[in-house]
Amino acid sequence: MLVLFETPAGYALFKMKDDSKLQDPDNISSLFTTPEQAAKTIKLKAFSKFENTTDAMSAVTALVEGKLSKSLKKFLSEELSELDLKDKLAVGDSKLATSIAKKLQINVVSDPATQELMRGIRSQLSTLISGLPESDMTAMILGLSHSLSRYKLKFSPDKVDTMIIQAIHLLDDLDKELNTYAMRVKEWYGWHFPEMTKIVVDNLAYAKVVRTMGMRENASTVDLSVVLPEELEKEVKDAAEISMGTEISNEDMENINHLADQIISITEYRAQLYDYLKNRMAAIAPNLTCLVGELVGARLIAHAGSLLSLAKQPASTIQILGAEKALFRALKSKHDTPKYGLIYHASLVGQAGPKLKGKVARTVATKCALSIRVDALGETEGPTVGLTMRAKMEDRLRQLEGKAKGTVGSATKGKKEGQKKFEFKQNKSYNSAADVAMSEPSDSTPVKSSSKRKADGDQAPSADESKKLKTESIEDDSIEKKKKKKSKMDKELKEDVVEEVRKKKDKKEKKEKAKDAVVAAVDDDAESGERKKKKKKKDAKGGSDE
């Protein structure tokens, strides 16, 4: 069996002298108690040294992620012959064992016995690998562990996104606590001075007024101009004189003051924390801050886990980040998926109209994805692309709003000033051009009407009169047709009514006949029954006489 062992100096390939010793994992540790026993158990076959710290760092990073690096693949391909491929290869990491088996087609083993074997080799490493002193090995381990820690933590003094994540979570917690405390102090002090709850709406101002004034009886003597504007101060003092609240003791007032002090101190700390978050966001993600603001940007980073994790997300994921429940519920019920998540609270999305919010959110998410990648992976400092993208987004928003207004305006404008819709209008006036001129009569044909008109001295009717006569005749014909149609419909209606009445009468007569037939049949049955009875009586009487 071959054993692959990773060291800070390079890769080591060992060969087991007796594979049967691995059958009992509990006794493997006894094989490495002394260097002599370790030499009898295992021997070094090949060693590949790292050229520099960068190579060591890349190799260790690949090992941590369970991937097969190029250097390790080359080393195994060169050192393992066809005979060795038939043997088993023991690897400490199970993920790395899977990668090696998949890519190199080698029979790889990673079990508890292998772990015990690795532990034994590690204890006698300096004796098994010659030319590698223990002091040098310790220095290599320390340097490599520091490099690996920096890689894992993504360490940079100016770019520590963990602070942003903690700050935004604390800011949300403080908002919840402030809400609870403010509600409690208003409810508690409201028993004594209920009218002030509606006058002073702001939580901090309310707590400061309670702390300054104390009992409502002190309202006339206490100066509240430091806390409230002049109008509200006068309103509070007037309301205190006619208040309907109950009386409270000095001990109650003392506890209320303590709660008001808590609200004031937490509010001041929240303002300080917000300034800190604002500065950290400007240092870590300046381009993202320009686009969506400090709070929305910090919430996006906190939701993704880190700035680098957020930079790996596509724009479509950033758009609905924070609306995962709604997304999966929509997919399950086959409804419309959400258009925005945390990005909804960005100022650019808030400025857009209700119908444009989805489109603007998609555009903002696209620009955010680019900005986050510049912040996470770029080497420049400051909002290099954030300002230009913000300006483009504002222009895009104005363009979309203008389009929306233009479509509404054109819909109304087209009816008045635009091209008119074609409408077919029937020409009801008489068209004189459609008349056909009659040919003049020949000499053989007699002209009676003309001679008569000449004799009578009448003149021929003009074109207007002929038009009038024709229209009157057409109207008379249409009226006469309508009358005929109406009379025909009336006649048909009367016939239908008569037919229906006749059918009802026939039906009634049939029913009466059927009823009479049933009655007659019943009477016949009754008569035949009486005859039979009489006959029986007669027969019985005749038999007795005999």
Side-chain angles (χ1 to χ4, degrees):
M1 178 186 281
L2 298 172
V3 182
L4 177 66
F5 190 82
E6 306 90 12
T7 68
Y11 298 112
L13 190 65
F14 294 97
K15 184 170 180 63
M16 285 288 296
K17 292 183 178 179
D18 187 4
D19 297 348
S20 62
K21 293 178 181 179
L22 294 176
Q23 292 178 0
D24 190 5
D26 296 333
N27 294 329
I28 292 174
S29 59
S30 62
L31 301 174
F32 293 90
T33 51
T34 61
E36 292 78 13
Q37 287 180 330
K40 289 178 183 178
T41 307
I42 200 167
K43 70 172 183 177
L44 181 66
K45 186 182 178 184
F47 186 81
S48 174
K49 190 179 179 181
F50 295 133
E51 293 181 2
N52 49 38
T53 312
T54 309
D55 290 344
M57 185 60 202
S58 61
V60 172
T61 306
L63 287 172
V64 168
E65 294 174 356
K67 296 177 181 177
L68 181 64
S69 62
K70 291 181 180 179
S71 58
L72 180 57
K73 187 178 179 180
K74 185 180 178 183
F75 171 66
L76 291 174
S77 301
E78 290 175 356
E79 296 299 332
L80 294 178
S81 61
E82 292 181 1
L83 295 172
D84 295 330
L85 289 173
K86 295 178 182 178
D87 292 340
K88 293 181 180 178
L89 179 67
V91 180
D93 189 12
S94 58
K95 290 183 180 178
L96 181 61
T98 308
S99 300
I100 292 171
K102 191 181 288 184
K103 291 188 178 180
L104 298 178
Q105 305 298 324
I106 302 172
N107 189 7
V108 184
V109 180
S110 180
D111 52 12
T114 307
Q115 299 298 330
E116 290 294 329
L117 183 62
M118 295 292 174
R119 193 174 288 111
I121 294 171
R122 197 175 293 113
S123 63
Q124 301 293 337
L125 187 61
S126 58
T127 57
L128 290 171
I129 302 174
S130 59
L132 195 62
E134 193 171 350
S135 57
D136 293 349
M137 184 67 74
T138 307
M140 288 178 187
I141 290 169
L142 185 64
L144 195 58
S145 61
H146 285 176
S147 302
L148 185 61
S149 299
R150 287 194 191 95
Y151 173 78
K152 277 193 170 183
L153 295 171
K154 315 289 187 298
F155 181 79
S156 172
D158 296 326
K159 295 196 172 185
V160 185
D161 49 9
T162 312
M163 305 304 167
I164 288 177
I165 295 168
Q166 298 299 329
I168 192 64
H169 285 324
L170 180 57
L171 199 69
D172 292 338
D173 292 340
L174 286 177
D175 287 337
K176 289 178 186 176
E177 291 297 323
L178 273 174
N179 226 4
T180 309
Y181 283 7
M183 184 180 68
R184 184 63 56 206
V185 78
K186 283 181 180 181
E187 190 175 342
W188 199 349
Y189 192 72
W191 287 98
H192 179 62
F193 191 3
E195 291 81 6
M196 196 174 82
T197 309
K198 292 184 179 179
I199 297 169
V200 183
V201 182
D202 185 58
N203 296 333
L204 180 61
Y206 190 94
K208 286 183 177 179
V209 169
V210 170
R211 193 74 188 85
T212 308
M213 184 171 62
M215 299 284 192
R216 69 167 185 264
E217 290 80 9
N218 303 329
S220 56
T221 57
V222 174
D223 184 22
L224 298 175
S225 59
V226 183
V227 183
L228 297 174
E230 189 178 346
E231 299 84 10
L232 285 179
E233 183 187 2
K234 187 176 182 302
E235 200 171 342
V236 167
K237 288 184 176 181
D238 293 343
E241 293 177 1
I242 56 169
S243 177
M244 297 172 63
T246 183
E247 296 296 329
I248 57 173
S249 63
N250 291 327
E251 189 179 358
D252 296 333
M253 195 65 231
E254 190 177 346
N255 285 304
I256 294 171
N257 285 334
H258 284 316
L259 186 56
D261 288 336
Q262 289 287 326
I263 292 170
I264 294 166
S265 62
I266 291 173
T267 307
E268 289 173 356
Y269 175 61
R270 188 200 176 280
Q272 181 186 348
L273 184 66
Y274 178 72
D275 291 337
Y276 166 76
L277 181 65
K278 193 174 179 181
N279 295 331
R280 297 310 299 164
M281 282 296 294
I284 293 169
N287 296 294
L288 180 63
T289 306
C290 280
L291 271 176
V292 295
E294 300 86 12
L295 293 176
V296 178
R299 286 196 175 93
L300 286 171
I301 293 169
H303 200 83
S306 67
L307 185 64
L308 198 64
S309 299
L310 188 63
K312 293 176 183 177
Q313 304 292 343
S316 56
T317 305
I318 294 170
Q319 184 182 348
I320 58 167
L321 211 63
E324 288 83 2
K325 284 186 180 178
L327 173 67
F328 291 120
R329 188 169 58 245
L331 291 173
K332 189 178 179 181
S333 57
K334 295 182 180 178
H335 289 303
D336 294 336
T337 53
K339 294 179 180 177
Y340 27 68
L342 291 169
I343 210 166
Y344 177 79
H345 301 287
S347 58
L348 287 168
V349 181
Q351 291 171 15
K355 292 184 178 179
L356 298 174
K357 280 189 189 295
K359 191 175 285 187
V360 173
R362 187 167 60 250
T363 315
V364 171
T366 309
K367 301 297 181 188
C368 279
L370 297 173
S371 301
I372 292 159
R373 286 162 194 168
V374 171
D375 291 332
L377 307 170
E379 296 178 357
T380 57
E381 293 182 0
T384 52
V385 297
L387 293 172
T388 54
M389 284 183 178
R390 175 88 185 189
K392 285 180 181 177
M393 276 301 308
E394 287 173 353
D395 292 341
R396 173 68 175 158
L397 181 60
R398 282 193 291 270
Q399 184 185 358
L400 288 171
E401 286 177 349
K403 271 187 181 179
K405 288 177 184 175
T407 50
V408 174
S410 63
T412 54
K413 188 179 176 182
K415 291 181 182 178
K416 294 179 181 178
E417 299 176 7
Q419 186 179 1
K420 292 182 180 179
K421 187 179 178 182
F422 174 75
E423 291 180 2
F424 176 74
K425 292 182 180 179
Q426 190 176 359
N427 191 8
K428 294 183 179 179
S429 61
Y430 180 75
N431 188 7
S432 59
D435 291 345
V436 179
M438 300 294 293
S439 59
E440 290 183 3
S442 59
D443 296 338
S444 60
T445 55
V447 184
K448 295 180 181 178
S449 59
S450 59
S451 61
K452 191 176 180 181
R453 280 175 187 157
K454 283 177 183 178
D456 296 340
D458 294 337
Q459 291 182 356
S462 63
D464 294 334
E465 287 177 357
S466 62
K467 286 179 189 177
K468 194 174 181 182
L469 289 170
K470 283 189 178 183
T471 51
E472 286 177 358
S473 63
I474 289 166
E475 286 176 0
D476 293 340
D477 291 341
S478 63
I479 291 166
E480 192 173 348
K481 283 179 181 178
K482 284 179 182 179
K483 285 181 179 179
K484 285 180 180 179
K485 193 174 181 181
K486 192 175 180 183
S487 61
K488 189 178 180 182
M489 286 174 67
D490 292 341
K491 190 176 180 182
E492 288 176 355
L493 186 64
K494 283 180 183 179
E495 288 176 357
D496 292 339
V497 171
V498 171
E499 183 69 22
E500 193 173 349
V501 170
R502 187 179 62 75
K503 284 180 179 179
K504 285 182 180 179
K505 193 174 181 182
D506 293 342
K507 197 174 182 181
K508 194 174 181 182
E509 287 176 357
K510 283 181 181 179
K511 282 184 179 181
E512 287 177 355
K513 285 179 180 179
K515 195 175 180 181
D516 294 340
V518 170
V519 172
V522 171
D523 292 341
D524 291 340
D525 291 339
E527 287 178 2
S528 62
E530 287 177 2
R531 286 174 189 166
K532 285 178 182 179
K533 284 179 183 179
K534 286 179 181 180
K535 192 175 182 182
K536 282 181 182 179
K537 286 180 181 180
K538 193 174 182 182
D539 292 340
K541 194 176 181 183
S544 61
D545 291 341
E546 288 177 1

